[in-house]
Every structure is written in structure tokens, then in C-alpha cells.
Amino acid sequence: MLLGLNPGQWDALRDAPTTIPDVVEEILRHRSPVSAPREDAGMPRYAMSDIEVEGVRIPAGDLVLLGIDQASRDEDRFPDPAAFTPRESNPHLTFGHGPRSCVGAPLARVELTEVFGALVTRFETFGLAVDVAQLTPRTEQLVGGVAELPVRWTAP
């Protein structure tokens, strides 16, 4: 989806398939599988002990909403964070960090890398067949996505 929304990205990927891992990381940064359905929501967690974050005290037991999407768009870490720009260094938090990081992250990366590797060698063009506004987000489960993803392609 993101490649179809960013003119020239598909061609760039076809011309340099060695950049697929960087493109995968940028896709993950932009579309976390646990993206909140609203910008003011987040992944719920509870503070295990009293902590302080940037001068704000959070008592043990308080609900904390983790804004993974917002963290992966931090201007201090990502110049022009709204832009889809594959980069060599991409410290996004899509799969969490530390002892609570997603155990499936390596598999997800391998799957996405293999999918894009196969697609760029098979299709000359590939992208959305409808306007992005026509896509219906899935909100009934923790990992989002869309209900349907109509695509269009041309073979060489």
C-alpha cells in the first residue's frame, strides 16, 4: 500500500532490490501491526513500579497507553517523519523493545522481505487499485490491517 502511495518507490525498489530490507523497515515504521485505531489511543499497559518520564510521575498500577506510532514518528529520531523514506538506520518501535519485544518480529521481517523480493521480480507495476480513502480499516482485533486490499499490476 505504501509503495503505491509514494510515486517512484516501486520503480526504485525494482531497480535496486537490495534495498528491500530498508523498505520493509520503513513500511513497518509507517504501519505498525498494532497501530491504534485513533491517534489519541495506544497500546494499554500498566506501570509495574513508580516511574518518572520527562518529569511526569506515573505510580505503579496506573494505566499507560503506549503510542508506538507516535514514537516511530519522533522528529528527533526520524528527519521528516511523515515521509516514506527507506533509510539504512531505522530505530522504529513497531515490534517493541527490550524484554517485551515481539518474538515474531524476525519472522515478519523475513516474510515481508520474501514477498517484496518475489513481487518486484514478477511485476513491472504494482499498487492500489482504489483510492486509499476507500479502504476499510479492521478495528475488531489488536493487529489492524484492512478488510480488503484491491491491487493492480502489470507483468513485464
Side-chain angles (χ1 to χ4, degrees):
M1 182 168 83
L2 286 166
L3 293 172
L5 296 174
N6 296 279
Q9 288 290 346
W10 183 258
D11 292 335
L13 190 59
R14 285 196 65 223
D15 292 343
T18 58
T19 64
I20 290 173
D22 295 337
V23 170
V24 164
E25 293 303 317
E26 188 68 356
I27 289 169
L28 291 169
R29 184 179 77 82
H30 273 268
R31 295 290 187 266
S32 167
V34 290
S35 295
R38 299 184 335 259
E39 246 182 62
D40 62 341
M43 182 181 286
R45 294 290 185 261
Y46 291 92
M48 300 286 290
S49 60
D50 293 346
I51 58 171
E52 186 173 311
V53 178
E54 294 193 11
V56 176
R57 185 180 170 281
I58 302 171
D62 269 14
L63 174 68
V64 178
L65 297 176
L66 304 178
I68 293 172
D69 289 344
Q70 295 85 348
S72 290
R73 286 176 178 72
D74 182 347
E75 291 179 357
D76 292 338
R77 302 293 298 248
F78 303 98
D80 194 10
F84 182 84
T85 309
R87 48 193 99 213
E88 287 183 33
S89 175
N90 198 333
H92 61 77
L93 296 174
T94 296
F95 294 117
H97 181 73
R100 300 265 188 249
S101 64
C102 176
V103 297
L107 177 60
R109 285 182 168 106
V110 167
E111 288 175 337
L112 287 167
T113 300
E114 290 301 312
V115 163
F116 284 108
L119 290 174
V120 299
T121 58
R122 185 165 180 195
F123 300 116
E124 189 170 323
T125 63
F126 188 86
L128 285 175
V130 298
D131 186 81
V132 70
Q134 292 179 266
L135 299 177
T136 305
R138 291 172 54 191
T139 57
E140 73 278 2
Q141 56 191 26
L142 179 61
V143 292
V146 292
E148 294 178 345
L149 187 63
V151 295
R152 51 133 185 95
W153 66 82
T154 58

